[in-house]
């Protein structure tokens, strides 16, 4: 980085527009700016920092003031606050092998009661090429809005603030660096930022950030969660399925058990005449009916028995009676006929002639005698005259009753047989209470079997349901798994990124510590060398060590004994500080401009010579040297002159309280202007 | 009317009481008819001649013989004649009493006669 030009407008003591060309020349890195105390040397240093870093700038004039207040107060007292102040810094930066020309304009003014600040960045990216082509090229900066708005970030990549505060130092800073304890923090920050150690650290932090960014996106996380949820659900369903399966098996075996028990109960029941028992009432009803019918039959039989039926027993005797009755009837009839015949014979004899009368009479008498003989009964039972008729009726009745009796007897026999059978069946039916218990048990068992069947059916249904659900979940899971595979690829990638970034971070850490080690040792060498170059007492310090942990600088004498910094004089400590900064810049590679303000305060003439001869020309590619006439005096200017590219003097008008920049130094050309 | 009443002895009555239970025939007269005819079927003459009719079972001839009184009387007369006795009232009464009692004996002794089916079955060809 090379500072090209700085222009101050109404800034601090600087009235109007004041420009300084800061471009160094070949082998002339020094820009010497002279100024008496209070002329604005430090203001110039502040201006450079302010234009670059704005609010963050560590301006010596700001102190603890608010930035806005500082800006307000920085506007020249004679200037119009509504027009305000401006600082323009032009510089070139090597970016990617090309020299870019930057013009940075920071301006601010007061509008009403508020302060408005503007920062405009103009960049010419092709400047370097044109310079190569035609030596003297005019920069053609273009306004870059992006950089203007994001300058605070951009400047960190060009010239980090930490480094700038090292590169731009004044005598006070050197004074503070002379204190070993305060030096440690400067060394630490310098080593870290200037020497790239902080870059390594930054890289590591960036990697960490990358790692943290490498989380799965929300959607992917959602997918994973989804899969996990589904897996959990599937697991749950599967375990439920297993349980249901077991339950089903259990209910089946229960049912089998219950069925077997029922079977055995039924068998026992059948064995005990259970079937018959269930028919007992039926049988008994049958028996009752049969008995009723038998009773009816018997009643009828009894009625028949009360009739003529017993007379059948004496059928032969009745035949005799019939015979007798017939005989008696005939005898009676004969007796009646005989009477009729006697009368008729008498009538007939009277009519007959006597001749035949005797003959006829005799014959008639014989006939009558024969007939009369028929009326003579051997036995006369004096049966009623209707006895035959009675017997005939009796025969008919008996015939009828016999038939009826035969029927009834048949029925009675059948009924008796039926009753017998019923009785046998009833006898087969066991005692009621015994079967009752069995029957109750059987009834309960039937209920139990039904219950078991219901349970099994339910279990089956549940199992089916779970089966369907399991399949459903499995399908969903499969789908989710496909998604998951894609996600997993990503996840693995993430994992890989994390793994490798971890590895890289580890490497970087080792690299960082190695780099630090190396830088420290280089710094030690550089600082020691610088110190030896600057020191009058060459043999005082033999060795210099910087602790890599606490960054405390220790010196050792010829015997290797540590030198207490308190033993060093104030001037020597100042030299040590300068050599520390120099060493740092040398190790960093002289890429940055050094701005040194009042550097020679406490030094004796020998040391001043050393600085002027050995340090200032070699401090960096560009050295802005701000000095009083006492520090770089005529003698020293003579020694320095060959390395000086430009000289300016800050001239203060005591009546106007304004400073103007004049070319030349007090003892060089144009010094006549210098007050 | 040659016979007024039929009377039974005490043993006959006891036996008939038993028969009444077993056969279900609840009328004395019916059982007595059966007894008489059962005895008459046997052509032999009962050995017992004198029956002491000392029970309280007594029925009129009408009650005893019922609808077929003429035939019963004819049978009794016939038996009287058969044994060579004058069928007068006295003899008829005696024959009746003797045969009824012998018949009651037969009736009680025959197991078949212990039921009404047996009784009817004994006379009806099956």
């Amino acid at each position: 980085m090379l500072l090209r030009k700085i222009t101050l407008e109404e800034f601090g003591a600087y009235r109007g527009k004041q420009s300084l060309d800061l471009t160094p020349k070949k082998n002339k890195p020094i820009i010497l700016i002279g100024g008496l105390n209070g002329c604005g040397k430090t203001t110039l240093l502040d201006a450079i920092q302010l234009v670059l870093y704005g609010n963050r700038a560590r301006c010596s004039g700001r102190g603890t003031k608010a930035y806005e207040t500082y800006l307000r107060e920085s506007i020249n007292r004679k200037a119009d606050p509504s027009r305000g102040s401006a600082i323009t810094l032009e510089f070139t930066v090597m970016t990617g092998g090309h020299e870019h020309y930057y013009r940075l304009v920071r301006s601010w003014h007061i509008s009403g009661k508020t302060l408005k600040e503007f920062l405009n960045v103009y960049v010419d990216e092709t400047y370097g090429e044109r310079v190569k082509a035609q030596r003297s090229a005019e920069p053609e900066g273009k306004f870059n809005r992006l950089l203007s708005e994001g300058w605070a970030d951009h400047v960190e990549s060009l010239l980090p603030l930490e480094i700038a505060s090292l590169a731009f130092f004044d005598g006070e800073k050197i004074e503070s660096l002379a204190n070993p304890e305060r030096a440690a923090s400067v060394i630490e920050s310098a080593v870290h930022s200037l020497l790239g150690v902080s870059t390594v650290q930054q890289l590591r932090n960036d990697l960490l950030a990358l790692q943290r960014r490498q989380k799965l996106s929300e959607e992917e996380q959602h997918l994973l969660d989804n899969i996990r949820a589904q897996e959990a659900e599937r697991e749950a369903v599967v375990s439920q399925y297993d349980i249901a399966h077991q339950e089903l098996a259990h209910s089946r075996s229960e049912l089998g058990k219950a069925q077997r028990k029922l079977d055995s109960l039924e068998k026992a029941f059948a064995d005990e005449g259970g079937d018959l028992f269930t028919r007992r009432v039926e049988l008994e009803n049958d028996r009752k009916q049969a008995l009723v019918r038998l009773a009816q039959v018997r009643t009828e039989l009894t009625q028949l028995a009360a009739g003529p039926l017993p007379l059948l027993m004496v059928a032969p005797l009745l035949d005799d009676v019939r015979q007798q009755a017939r005989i008696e009837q005939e005898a009676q009839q004969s007796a009646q006929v005989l009477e009729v015949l006697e009368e008729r014979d008498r009538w007939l004899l009277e009519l007959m002639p006597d001749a035949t009368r005797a003959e006829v009479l005799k014959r008639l008498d014989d006939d009558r005698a024969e007939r009369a003989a028929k009326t003579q009964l051997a036995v006369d039972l004096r049966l009623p005259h209707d006895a035959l008729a009675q017997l005939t009726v009796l025969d008919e009745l008996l015939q009828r009753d016999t038939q009826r009796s035969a029927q009834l007897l048949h029925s009675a026999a059948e009924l008796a047989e039926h009753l017998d059978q019923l009785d046998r069946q009833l006898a087969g039916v066991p005692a009621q209470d015994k079967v009752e218990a069995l029957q109750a048990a059987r009834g309960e068992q039937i209920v139990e079997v039904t219950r078991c069947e219901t349970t099994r059916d339910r279990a089956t249904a549940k199992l089916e349901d779970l089966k369907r659900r399991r399949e459903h979940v499995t399908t969903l899971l499969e789908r989710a798994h496909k998604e998951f595979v894609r996600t997993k690829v990503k996840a693995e990638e993430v994992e890989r990124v994390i793994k490798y970034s971890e590895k890289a971070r580890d490497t970087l850490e080792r690299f960082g510590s190695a780099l630090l080690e190396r830088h420290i040792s280089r710094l030690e060498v550089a600082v020691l060398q610088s110190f030896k170059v600057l020191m009058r007492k060459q043999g005082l310090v033999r060795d210099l060590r910087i602790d890599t942990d606490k960054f405390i600088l220790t010196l050792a004498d010829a015997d290797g004994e540590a030198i207490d910094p308190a033993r060093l004089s104030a001037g020597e400590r100042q030299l040590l500080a300068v050599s520390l900064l120099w060493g740092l810049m040398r190790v960093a590679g002289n890429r940055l401009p050094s701005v040194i303000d009042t550097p020679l305060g406490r030094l004796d003439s020998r040391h001043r010579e050393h600085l002027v001869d050995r340090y200032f020309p070699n401090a960096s590619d560009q050295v802005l040297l701000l000095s009083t006439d006492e520090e770089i005096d005529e003698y020293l200017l003579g020694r320095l002159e060959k390395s000086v590219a430009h000289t300016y003097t800050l001239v203060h008008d005591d009546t106007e309280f304004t400073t103007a920049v004049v070319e030349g130094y007090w003892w060089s050309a144009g010094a006549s202007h210098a007050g | 009317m040659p016979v007024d009443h039929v009377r039974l002895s005490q043993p006959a009555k006891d036996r008939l009481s038993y028969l009444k239970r077993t056969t279900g025939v609840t009328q004395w007269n019916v059982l007595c008819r059966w007894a008489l005819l059962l005895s008459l079927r046997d052509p032999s003459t009962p050995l017992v001649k004198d029956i002491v009719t000392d029970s309280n079972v007594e029925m009129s001839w009408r009650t005893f013989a019922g609808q077929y009184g003429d035939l019963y009387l004819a049978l009794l007369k016939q038996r009287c004649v058969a044994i060579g006795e004058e069928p007068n009232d006295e003899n008829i009464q005696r024959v009746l009493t003797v045969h009824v009692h012998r018949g009651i004996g037969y009736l009680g002794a025959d197991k078949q006669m212990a039921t009404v089916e047996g009784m009817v079955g004994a006379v009806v060809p099956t």
Side-chain angles (χ1 to χ4, degrees):
Chain A
M1 185 184 190
L2 273 183
L3 301 178
R4 294 286 180 170
K5 191 180 179 184
I6 186 160
T7 305
L8 307 176
E9 268 180 82
E10 312 290 359
F11 182 66
Y14 295 87
R15 182 81 172 96
K17 203 170 184 175
Q18 310 285 342
S19 285
L20 287 89
D21 185 2
L22 305 176
T23 315
K25 291 175 180 165
K26 201 178 179 186
N27 294 327
K28 293 179 183 222
I30 297 172
I31 317 298
L32 181 61
I33 301 161
L36 300 176
N37 291 340
C39 283
K41 297 196 298 296
T42 307
T43 306
L44 188 65
L45 188 58
D46 282 353
I48 297 171
Q49 294 193 60
L50 182 63
V51 70
L52 284 171
Y53 301 107
N55 187 23
R56 291 161 61 228
R58 291 168 192 169
C59 302
S60 58
R62 182 174 162 189
T64 55
K65 289 176 196 158
Y67 180 58
E68 205 179 293
T69 314
Y70 173 65
L71 286 185
R72 274 176 198 273
E73 291 177 358
S74 297
I75 300 171
N76 188 278
R77 268 171 277 176
K78 302 280 180 195
D80 178 6
S82 63
R83 287 194 58 206
S85 310
I87 307 168
T88 306
L89 183 68
E90 293 169 43
F91 58 92
T92 54
V93 172
M94 292 295 286
T95 306
H98 298 289
E99 195 173 24
H100 290 190
Y101 194 101
Y102 282 82
R103 193 157 71 88
L104 189 62
V105 182
R106 188 181 293 274
S107 61
W108 62 95
H109 65 266
I110 292 166
S111 168
K113 282 195 171 180
T114 59
L115 181 118
K116 288 187 176 172
E117 187 191 4
F118 302 94
L119 181 74
N120 294 323
V121 182
Y122 302 86
V123 186
D124 181 359
E125 293 181 357
T126 58
Y127 177 73
E129 288 162 36
R130 279 185 283 117
V131 166
K132 274 179 198 162
Q134 43 181 300
R135 279 238 155 257
S136 61
E138 279 300 307
E140 296 166 0
K142 286 181 198 149
F143 175 68
N144 190 320
R145 197 163 65 89
L146 216 65
L147 285 181
S148 303
E149 284 169 5
W151 180 253
D153 289 332
H154 189 66
V155 73
E156 280 298 306
S157 70
L158 300 175
L159 180 68
L161 179 65
E162 284 298 321
I163 292 168
S165 64
L166 281 177
F168 305 163
F169 57 87
D170 53 22
E172 289 156 33
K173 203 168 275 169
I174 288 170
E175 191 64 38
S176 71
L177 267 175
N179 181 333
E181 271 165 34
R182 291 192 56 187
S185 68
V186 173
I187 295 166
E188 183 177 355
S189 68
V191 164
H192 275 139
S193 57
L194 192 61
L195 305 181
V197 176
S198 71
T199 312
V200 174
Q201 185 62 40
Q202 186 62 44
L203 253 172
R204 290 185 63 219
N205 287 342
D206 288 353
L207 278 172
L208 192 63
L210 177 72
Q211 274 185 28
R212 284 179 185 150
R213 260 205 305 276
Q214 285 299 335
K215 279 193 176 152
L216 293 175
S217 73
E218 207 164 297
E219 190 191 0
E220 287 156 346
Q221 194 58 46
H222 176 71
L223 254 171
L224 266 176
D225 288 351
N226 197 19
I227 280 174
R228 296 226 173 90
Q230 272 168 356
E231 271 173 348
E233 195 187 344
R234 184 165 178 273
E235 217 161 280
V237 168
V238 164
S239 68
Q240 272 177 29
Y241 181 81
D242 288 346
I243 288 166
H245 206 79
Q246 282 168 11
E247 273 174 4
L248 178 61
H250 181 66
S251 66
R252 271 183 180 149
S253 74
E254 284 281 300
L255 177 61
K257 237 184 270 174
Q259 190 66 54
R260 276 196 295 283
K261 194 172 170 193
L262 178 61
D263 287 349
S264 71
L265 273 172
E266 278 185 336
K267 191 169 176 294
F269 190 60
D271 287 349
E272 298 280 346
D275 280 342
L276 290 174
F277 179 80
T278 54
R279 285 180 56 213
R280 189 183 182 107
V281 177
E282 199 183 336
L283 286 172
E284 278 173 349
N285 283 340
D286 282 1
R287 189 167 179 272
K288 250 181 238 168
Q289 278 178 357
L291 281 173
V292 167
R293 280 183 61 208
L294 191 59
Q296 284 171 352
V297 167
R298 278 181 174 154
T299 307
E300 209 170 328
L301 278 173
T302 308
Q303 283 165 3
L304 284 172
L309 214 51
L311 289 168
L312 279 169
M313 284 190 289
V314 289
L317 296 179
L318 282 176
D319 284 346
D320 292 348
V321 171
R322 188 178 286 115
Q323 189 69 28
Q324 181 66 27
R326 200 171 287 132
I327 289 167
E328 283 190 14
Q329 194 177 11
E330 274 179 19
Q332 204 173 357
Q333 283 171 350
S334 295
Q336 285 171 351
V337 167
L338 208 59
E339 278 179 36
V340 173
L341 279 176
E342 215 168 328
E343 197 170 332
R344 190 206 62 186
D345 285 354
R346 217 173 11 253
W347 170 72
L348 194 66
L349 286 171
E350 281 173 12
L351 290 176
M352 248 185 225
D354 291 343
T356 56
R357 192 184 279 186
E359 183 64 20
V360 172
L361 187 67
K362 191 186 179 283
R363 288 222 184 156
L364 288 173
D365 283 343
D366 289 346
D367 178 58
R368 284 205 306 273
E370 194 183 350
R371 286 181 186 273
K374 277 187 180 173
T375 61
Q376 286 298 303
L377 294 168
V379 180
D380 187 1
L381 297 178
R382 288 194 289 276
L383 294 172
H385 64 276
D386 63 342
L388 273 173
Q390 277 190 32
L391 279 168
T392 310
V393 171
L394 178 68
D395 278 345
E396 283 172 19
L397 282 173
L398 277 176
Q399 205 177 345
R400 194 195 67 192
D401 280 7
T402 302
Q403 270 180 11
R404 183 66 190 144
S405 293
Q407 281 175 7
L408 285 172
L409 283 175
H410 186 65
S411 297
E414 274 186 345
L415 281 170
E417 178 69 19
H418 187 46
L419 274 171
D420 250 16
Q421 207 176 330
L422 286 173
D423 282 344
R424 271 200 304 280
Q425 284 176 347
L426 282 170
V429 176
Q432 180 133 355
D433 54 345
K434 199 171 168 189
V435 174
E436 213 159 41
L438 265 174
Q439 196 174 28
R442 179 169 158 268
E444 279 172 21
Q445 196 57 32
I446 285 170
V447 171
E448 175 70 14
V449 166
T450 314
R451 197 185 61 76
C452 282
E453 274 174 352
T454 314
T455 308
R456 186 210 46 200
D457 289 350
R458 224 177 5 236
T460 311
K462 193 179 169 194
L463 193 69
E464 281 300 309
D465 189 45
L466 280 170
K467 206 170 172 180
R468 275 197 298 276
R469 201 165 139 218
R470 188 184 61 175
E471 276 162 18
H472 177 65
V473 170
T474 306
T475 315
L476 279 182
L477 194 61
E478 219 164 278
R479 207 178 302 156
H481 264 300
K482 278 179 191 161
E483 291 280 315
F484 176 65
V485 166
R486 264 175 287 180
T487 311
K488 195 159 188 181
V489 168
K490 172 97 183 201
E492 276 170 1
E493 201 175 286
V494 166
E495 204 180 340
R496 207 166 55 239
V497 166
I498 288 170
K499 189 181 155 196
Y500 282 103
S501 74
E502 195 71 49
K503 230 171 161 179
R505 283 183 65 216
D506 191 45
T507 310
L508 278 172
E509 191 180 353
R510 279 186 289 125
F511 175 68
S513 45
L515 190 67
L516 186 67
E517 202 81 39
R518 188 180 136 102
H519 280 328
I520 293 288
S521 57
R522 275 178 66 200
L523 190 61
E524 282 166 358
V525 172
V527 172
L528 186 61
Q529 208 177 7
S530 305
F531 192 56
K532 279 181 173 174
V533 164
L534 297 179
M535 270 294 278
R536 179 167 47 83
K537 297 178 193 164
Q538 288 293 334
L540 180 63
V541 173
R542 187 59 166 275
D543 202 5
L544 186 141
R545 286 266 163 264
I546 298 171
D547 185 86
T548 51
D549 191 28
K550 291 175 179 165
F551 302 98
I552 290 174
L553 191 144
T554 49
L555 299 170
D557 62 13
D559 301 328
E561 291 291 316
I563 299 169
D564 187 354
R567 272 174 56 197
L568 293 174
S569 68
E572 281 166 345
R573 281 208 298 275
Q574 200 170 353
L575 274 182
L576 181 60
V578 169
S579 45
L580 184 61
L581 288 169
W582 191 14
L584 279 168
M585 284 302 161
R586 280 167 66 186
V587 171
N590 290 349
R591 288 166 289 114
L592 301 171
S594 285
V595 181
I596 304 164
D597 186 15
T598 53
L600 306 174
R602 287 178 170 269
L603 301 182
D604 58 27
S605 61
R606 286 284 299 281
H607 282 146
R608 289 186 184 195
E609 274 177 41
H610 282 167
L611 279 178
V612 167
D613 291 346
R614 300 171 185 172
Y615 175 53
F616 293 146
N618 305 308
S620 182
D621 293 342
Q622 185 179 35
V623 180
L624 264 62
L625 207 53
L626 299 161
S627 170
T628 61
D629 59 346
E630 277 298 310
E631 284 174 316
I632 308 293
D633 55 17
E634 194 168 9
Y635 168 69
L636 290 176
L637 178 65
R639 297 180 78 106
L640 199 61
E641 203 146 31
K642 63 180 184 295
S643 301
V644 174
H646 299 279
T647 54
Y648 295 99
T649 307
L650 307 177
V651 180
H652 192 73
D653 183 338
D654 288 338
T655 54
E656 294 283 322
F657 296 106
T658 56
T659 298
V661 178
V662 179
E663 287 212 36
Y665 205 57
W666 283 285
W667 300 278
S668 61
S672 55
H673 300 289
Chain B
M1 186 55 57
V3 181
D4 286 335
H5 291 90
V6 179
R7 286 186 141 195
L8 295 178
S9 69
Q10 190 61 42
K13 182 204 166 183
D14 292 344
R15 188 155 288 179
L16 277 185
S17 298
Y18 172 73
L19 283 169
K20 272 170 77 173
R21 280 202 307 278
T22 58
T23 59
V25 176
T26 53
Q27 289 154 307
W28 297 107
N29 57 346
V30 175
L31 287 171
C32 287
R33 277 181 219 157
W34 279 81
L36 174 64
L37 293 174
L38 201 59
S39 183
L40 284 177
R41 193 168 67 173
D42 186 348
S44 67
T45 302
L47 293 172
V48 180
K49 301 287 182 194
D50 286 319
I51 304 292
V52 182
T53 57
D54 53 357
S55 81
N56 57 356
V57 176
E58 189 192 58
M59 67 200 85
S60 68
W61 173 252
R62 271 194 83 78
T63 307
F64 171 81
Q67 196 179 349
Y68 306 100
D70 289 347
L71 291 176
Y72 285 106
L73 192 59
L75 287 167
L76 287 170
K77 283 178 180 170
Q78 197 175 37
R79 179 50 61 104
C80 283
V81 172
I83 59 171
E85 285 180 9
E86 184 73 12
N88 55 28
D89 290 357
E90 191 185 344
N91 286 337
I92 287 167
Q93 180 70 54
R94 191 171 49 82
V95 166
L96 171 64
T97 304
V98 167
H99 279 277
V100 163
H101 280 82
R102 187 171 78 159
I104 287 169
Y106 284 175
L107 208 56
D110 194 340
K111 276 206 164 175
Q112 200 192 353
M113 293 297 179
T115 64
V116 71
E117 298 100 300
M119 282 164 61
V120 175
V123 299
V124 175
T126 49

